[in-house]
């Protein structure tokens, strides 16, 4: 029988349980992350030696005429990408969730359908939309024609002015299911008595939603916002699939993920540069981290005080 | 009680009021169906056109393939010109291996965190939870360097290890909450019977099976769909996964519409079937998980 005979020493079985997870996680996630942070302060010579350069890589990234326009451009585009997700994706998700949670018939069938694109790979989604929006096939044009709006049709993906918005909306189309389910879960979790009381007071559906339900699901709104933020500033697959690593036309769809890939591996005339890649990754890390910290310390704390 | 009132009310109300209520009830369905069509139509359009001749794809894109327009030419090109079978095998090996190992290793760690109040327990839990919010991709420069040093570039093993590391944080976090809910009496009874801690672990695991199932599904999908790590760590034709294989194949065959549509359908259908089988369970588990 295994009793705690030697209290002082750490029980072996705890080590056995924890070791595989801790070792794999540390070696393949934590260590590479720290190594990337470290490499952003180094430069690699032609003899493959690492030399410490302090914050030189960051200065280069933020001021050099080759890097800075790309960095600020990608950051700006990423903010647009995120804003479109926050406004369009999360509003549609909230509307759909509110309808689904209203006790409507066939709610589970609707949920299954609306969640479907989320499980497909971004590569597939990217190509599907590329085909549909392709003027050669003309499917999108025919659909617009059916509602007499064909004058609106343009090769949206190919024009610098519309490419980023188009790609963002395709991403919204794919991922709207996730916030929808999270909002739905929060809405059906609201105690029925509260709704009952509101109905007795004679408030309309619209009023009940915004005055009672919405404030109650604010914690979920925060979770959705931070998930959208982390996902968007880490996005890569869709742009790479639809517009390649150069994120054309004229870098108009370039976001942090594609900038990171290009900087790390190089593209066409530009050579790949691991330490500059690590610098871009560290900037992404800082952006995501600041988002997470704002969420934890400002949003969650405020929600808690409101709840009290 | 409200039901009986509702049932009586409409008959006594004027027609115009009843009609308004009917419209109000219809409206949500119209929105949901409208959005449902926006979701389904693109997928449907790709699948039906993959079974048509090139002429019909361009001539009548919205029609279901008929006897005259039916063609499997695209599928023939995909099967003969690509390594789809290899890609599928690679994806299955990587996904299944990563999944099983994540669940086993993750459950062990989660059990230890939930069961034993050893020193540093909370700190270790926090350490493992960092990976929930910080995407593993940001460590790619370090990961590639590590893979080169361990000679794991262009191996499925490399991918499997990365995906385990990626999936562990959330797995451990969620499972440890479920293990905490397992009644203590059960484990104590087993201990009195002389069961070892390892034995108790395997006794308790079946009790959190629903959670394991849900986490399993959510671990699988991002691994199966990932483009980044196959592209960066294992891009060789021998180790390419379906997602990467499709991406590269489509890049080469952009102008062969039959082949493009067929390969998209081939890549999409297995996941859709899997989804339709498990969708209820999946959506229920997020709904319940989010309520916790």
């Amino acid at each position: 029988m295994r009793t705690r005979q030697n209290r002082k020493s750490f029980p072996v079985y705890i080590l056995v349980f924890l070791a595989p997870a801790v070792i794999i996680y540390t070696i393949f996630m934590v260590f590479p992350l720290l190594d990337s942070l470290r490499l952003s302060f180094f430069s690699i010579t032609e003899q493959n030696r690492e030399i410490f350069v302090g914050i030189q890589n960051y200065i280069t990234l933020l001021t050099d005429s080759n890097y800075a326009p790309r960095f600020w451009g990608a950051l700006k585009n990423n903010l647009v990408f995120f804003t479109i997700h926050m406004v369009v994706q999360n509003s549609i998700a909230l509307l759909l969730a509110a309808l689904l949670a209203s006790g409507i018939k066939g709610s589970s069938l609707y949920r299954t359908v609306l969640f479907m694109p989320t499980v497909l790979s971004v590569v597939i989604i990217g190509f599907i939309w590329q085909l549909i929006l392709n003027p050669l096939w003309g499917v999108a044009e025919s659909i617009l024609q059916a509602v007499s709006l064909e004058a609106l049709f343009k090769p949206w993906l190919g024009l610098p002015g519309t490419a980023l918005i188009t790609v963002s909306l395709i991403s919204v189309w794919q991922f709207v299911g996730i916030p929808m389910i999270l909002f739905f879960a929060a809405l059906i979790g609201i105690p029925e008595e509260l709704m009952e009381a509101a109905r007795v007071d004679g408030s309309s559906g619209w009023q009940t939603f915004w005055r009672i339900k919405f404030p109650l699901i604010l914690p979920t709104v925060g979770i959705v916002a931070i998930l959208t933020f982390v996902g968007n500033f880490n996005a890569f697959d869709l742009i790479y699939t639809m517009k390649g690593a150069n994120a054309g036309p004229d870098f108009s769809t370039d976001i942090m993920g594609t900038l990171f890939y290009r900087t790390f591996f190089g593209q066409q005339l530009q050579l790949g540069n691991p330490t500059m890649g690590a610098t871009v990754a560290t900037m992404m890390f800082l952006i995501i981290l600041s988002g997470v910290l704002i969420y934890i310390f400002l949003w969650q704390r405020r929600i808690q005080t409101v709840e009290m | 009680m409200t039901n009986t009132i509702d049932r009586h009310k409409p008959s006594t109300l004027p027609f115009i009021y009843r009609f308004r209520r009917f419209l109000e009830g219809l409206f949500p369905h119209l929105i949901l169906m409208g959005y449902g069509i926006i979701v389904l139509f693109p997928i449907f359009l790709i699948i039906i056109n993959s079974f048509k001749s090139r002429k019909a794809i361009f001539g009548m894109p919205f029609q279901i393939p008929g006897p005259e327009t039916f063609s499997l030419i695209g599928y023939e090109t995909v099967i003969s010109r690509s390594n789809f079978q290899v890609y599928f095998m690679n994806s299955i090996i990587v996904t299944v291996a990563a999944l099983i190992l994540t669940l086993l290793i993750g459950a062990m760690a989660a059990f230890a965190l939930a069961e034993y109040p050893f020193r540093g327990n909370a700190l270790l839990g926090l350490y493992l939870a960092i990976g929930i919010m910080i995407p593993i991709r940001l460590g790619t420069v370090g990961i590639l360097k590590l893979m080169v040093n361990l000679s794991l570039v262009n191996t499925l093993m490399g991918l499997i290890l990365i995906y385990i590391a990626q999936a562990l944080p959330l797995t451990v976090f969620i499972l440890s909450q479920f293990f905490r809910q397992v009644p203590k009496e059960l484990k104590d009874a087993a201990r009195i019977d002389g069961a070892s801690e390892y034995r108790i672990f395997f006794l308790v695991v079946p009790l959190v099976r629903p959670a394991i199932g849900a986490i399993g599904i959510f671990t699988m999908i991002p691994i199966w769909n990932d483009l980044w790590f196959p592209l960066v760590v294992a891009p060789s034709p021998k180790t390419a996964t379906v997602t990467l294989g499709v991406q590269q194949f489509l890049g080469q065959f952009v102008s062969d519409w039959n082949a493009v549509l067929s390969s998209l359908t081939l890549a999409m259908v297995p996941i859709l079937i899997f989804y339709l089988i498990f969708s209820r369970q999946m959506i229920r588990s997020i709904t319940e998980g989010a309520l916790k």
Side-chain angles (χ1 to χ4, degrees):
Chain A
M1 195 162 92
R2 187 180 286 273
T3 48
R4 314 259 152 90
Q5 292 151 341
N6 36 0
R7 237 160 219 280
K8 289 275 161 64
S9 72
F10 206 77
V12 178
Y13 52 85
I14 297 185
L15 284 180
V16 173
F17 281 132
L18 287 170
V22 172
I23 290 171
I24 291 186
Y25 173 73
T26 306
I27 294 180
F28 292 97
M29 180 149 186
V30 177
F31 169 72
L33 262 172
L34 294 176
D35 196 35
S36 293
L37 298 188
R38 183 188 66 83
L39 274 172
S40 72
F41 297 104
F42 284 78
S43 186
I44 294 176
T45 63
E46 281 171 27
Q47 292 83 39
N48 220 356
R49 278 219 337 263
E50 291 170 359
I51 35 171
F52 183 74
V53 293
I55 58 164
Q56 186 53 49
N57 289 336
Y58 291 90
I59 295 173
T60 308
L61 182 67
L62 298 180
T63 60
D64 184 87
S65 62
N66 281 324
Y67 283 103
R70 292 285 75 81
F71 174 77
W72 295 112
L75 185 62
K76 197 196 106 227
N77 290 341
N78 222 149
L79 283 169
V80 173
F81 191 69
F82 169 64
T83 310
I84 293 178
H85 279 81
M86 279 305 280
V87 174
V88 183
Q89 171 186 280
N90 297 343
S91 321
I92 296 178
L94 187 62
L95 170 71
L96 296 173
L99 296 177
L100 290 172
S102 66
I104 196 168
K105 267 189 193 151
S107 167
S108 112
L109 178 68
Y110 284 127
R111 267 178 284 155
T112 301
V113 169
L114 300 180
F115 195 75
M116 193 185 281
T118 329
V119 300
L120 292 174
S121 98
V122 177
V123 171
I124 295 175
I125 301 293
F127 270 96
I128 287 180
W129 279 99
Q130 217 163 16
L131 295 181
I132 287 176
L133 296 177
N134 192 331
L136 247 172
W137 199 13
V139 167
E141 214 174 345
S142 316
I143 294 170
L144 285 178
Q145 216 157 22
V147 285
S148 316
L149 286 172
E150 70 267 31
L152 285 179
F153 183 77
K154 282 192 188 117
W156 291 301
L157 276 173
L159 300 172
T162 51
L164 180 62
I165 297 174
T166 312
V167 175
S168 310
L169 290 177
I170 293 169
S171 173
V172 165
W173 177 86
Q174 172 166 26
F175 290 117
V176 89
I178 295 172
M180 178 189 84
I181 294 291
L182 293 173
F183 285 138
F184 172 77
L187 285 170
I188 59 169
I190 298 175
E192 191 52 35
E193 303 86 69
L194 277 171
M195 298 296 98
E196 214 49 62
R199 240 171 270 139
V200 170
D201 286 349
S203 61
S204 70
W206 182 256
Q207 278 176 329
T208 338
F209 185 81
W210 288 111
R211 298 235 180 108
I212 301 174
K213 291 190 188 175
F214 189 73
L216 283 171
I217 63 164
L218 272 181
T220 307
V221 175
I223 292 170
V224 165
I226 189 64
L227 286 179
T228 310
F229 184 82
V230 174
N232 284 172
F233 276 90
N234 183 35
F236 164 80
D237 301 26
L238 185 67
I239 313 270
Y240 182 76
T241 302
M242 302 191 78
K243 310 297 332 178
N246 274 326
D250 195 24
F251 297 108
S252 62
T253 53
D254 198 18
I255 56 172
M256 297 305 287
T258 41
L259 175 71
F260 173 34
Y261 182 84
R262 261 200 335 271
T263 315
F264 184 11
F265 292 101
Q267 201 66 31
Q268 292 167 357
L269 295 176
Q270 189 193 354
L271 276 169
N273 186 335
T275 53
M276 282 307 290
T279 310
V280 176
T282 307
M283 293 304 288
M284 291 165 77
F285 175 80
L286 292 176
I287 293 169
I288 290 175
L289 189 70
S290 51
V292 173
L293 292 178
I294 287 174
Y295 167 70
I296 293 176
F297 289 107
L298 292 178
W299 177 269
Q300 277 199 330
R301 195 153 290 178
R302 242 193 86 205
I303 290 285
Q304 273 161 6
T305 44
V306 168
E307 274 173 353
M308 284 199 291
Chain B
M1 214 174 78
T2 45
N3 261 341
T4 50
I5 293 171
D6 276 349
R7 226 174 281 144
H8 279 291
K9 241 186 196 165
S11 56
T12 59
L13 290 168
F15 170 77
I16 189 77
Y17 189 79
R18 266 191 288 159
F19 187 67
R20 226 194 103 186
R21 279 189 65 169
F22 169 74
L23 279 187
E24 271 172 13
L26 200 64
F27 195 58
H29 282 286
L30 286 179
I31 296 178
L32 289 169
M33 272 181 214
Y35 200 81
I37 290 170
I38 296 176
V39 165
L40 289 180
F41 188 69
I43 298 172
F44 177 70
L45 199 64
I46 298 300
I47 296 179
I48 59 167
N49 279 289
S50 75
F51 292 104
K52 288 196 224 164
S53 65
R54 188 180 164 86
K55 216 177 115 201
I57 293 174
F58 283 93
M60 306 170 263
F62 299 109
Q63 276 177 24
I64 294 171
E68 279 162 43
T69 54
F70 182 80
S71 162
L72 288 175
I73 178 82
Y75 289 93
E76 285 161 24
T77 317
V78 176
I79 307 279
S80 62
R81 302 291 292 278
S82 79
N83 292 322
F84 244 86
Q85 299 90 320
V86 178
Y87 303 152
F88 262 113
M89 269 323 284
N90 289 340
S91 276
I92 291 172
I93 293 171
V94 169
T95 310
V96 171
L99 180 69
I100 292 175
L101 289 170
T102 302
L103 291 178
L104 177 70
I105 295 173
M108 282 160 55
F111 178 75
L113 287 178
E115 184 65 24
Y116 313 114
F118 56 89
R119 271 183 70 181
N121 180 312
L123 208 62
L124 190 66
L126 192 66
Y127 172 71
L128 288 170
I130 297 170
I132 297 175
M133 275 302 184
I134 302 301
I136 190 169
R137 273 182 195 186
L138 300 181
T140 302
V141 179
I143 288 179
L144 188 61
K145 215 175 112 191
L146 182 72
M147 289 288 147
V148 172
N149 290 339
L150 298 174
S151 319
L152 286 173
V153 174
N154 281 327
T155 62
L156 297 182
M157 191 62 201
L159 282 180
I160 293 169
L161 287 165
I162 294 170
Y163 289 138
I164 297 174
Q166 167 186 299
L168 270 176
L170 197 61
T171 308
V172 173
F173 182 74
I174 294 178
L175 280 184
S176 64
Q177 288 181 339
F178 277 89
F179 278 124
R180 283 199 183 99
Q181 292 168 6
V182 174
K184 206 165 171 36
E185 297 79 39
L186 202 104
K187 289 168 277 190
D188 286 341
R191 280 193 188 104
I192 290 164
D193 286 346
S196 71
E197 295 299 317
Y198 307 111
R199 175 109 190 83
I200 290 169
F201 170 69
F202 284 105
L203 281 177
V204 172
V205 164
L207 299 176
V208 296
R209 211 169 43 198
I212 291 185
I215 294 168
I217 295 169
F218 287 103
T219 308
M220 261 182 84
I221 292 171
I223 297 179
W224 182 277
N225 286 341
D226 186 39
L227 175 68
W228 178 264
F229 283 114
L231 181 70
V232 169
V233 172
S236 79
K238 274 188 186 161
T239 53
T241 57
V242 173
T243 306
L244 179 64
V246 168
Q247 199 265 338
Q248 290 178 340
F249 178 83
L250 292 177
Q252 285 166 24
F253 283 78
V254 199
S255 51
D256 186 341
W257 282 66
N258 294 94
V260 167
L261 292 164
S262 313
S263 55
L264 284 173
T265 307
L266 275 178
M268 189 157 61
V269 165
I271 287 282
L272 286 182
I273 293 174
F274 178 84
Y275 172 68
L276 290 177
I277 297 172
F278 290 104
S279 65
R280 262 162 196 272
Q281 205 181 335
M282 234 171 106
I283 292 175
R284 199 190 325 123
S285 68
I286 324 180
T287 316
E288 281 164 8
L291 282 175
K292 286 234 162 72

